[in-house]
């Protein structure tokens, strides 16, 4: 299950998320998160666990997905 605090930060927008990621080197757990129709253009999702996340109509253009886990997303 997704970390609700981290999910809340992501839903505040890519700018807020990327700034928070620069300041925090935590493990990011967004397993099973409902991210449908969210604009994540340019988001730093490096090493994020997105297993089973719902990504229907999610804009990931230019997002950094290196080493992200996308199993069954």
């Amino acid at each position: 299950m997704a970390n609700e605090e981290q999910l809340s930060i992501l839903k505040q927008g890519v700018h807020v998320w990327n700034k928070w990621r620069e300041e925090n080197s935590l493990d990011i757990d967004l397993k099973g998160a409902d991210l449908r129709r969210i604009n994540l253009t340019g988001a730093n999702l490096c090493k994020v666990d997105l297993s089973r996340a719902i990504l229907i109509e999610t804009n990931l253009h230019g997002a950094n997905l290196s080493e992200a886990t996308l199993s069954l997303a």
Side-chain angles (χ1 to χ4, degrees):
M1 198 66 176
N3 178 300
E4 292 299 322
E5 179 183 353
Q6 294 170 354
L7 183 56
S8 174
I9 294 166
L10 180 61
K11 288 185 174 183
Q12 291 176 47
V14 171
H15 179 73
V16 172
W17 173 259
N18 286 346
K19 182 173 171 50
W20 180 81
R21 284 294 308 268
E22 287 175 14
E23 298 167 358
N24 296 277
S25 61
L26 309 169
D27 289 335
I28 308 298
D29 178 6
L30 296 176
K31 287 188 291 262
D34 185 351
L35 301 175
R36 72 182 105 199
R37 296 184 188 96
I38 294 179
N39 183 0
L40 296 177
T41 299
N44 179 0
L45 300 171
C46 179
K47 298 183 181 180
V48 172
D49 189 346
L50 291 162
S51 302
R52 299 184 184 271
I54 301 168
L55 299 173
I56 298 167
E57 296 182 26
T58 301
N59 186 345
L60 293 166
H61 181 74
N64 181 353
L65 294 166
S66 63
E67 298 184 57
T69 303
L70 294 161
S71 303
L72 301 172

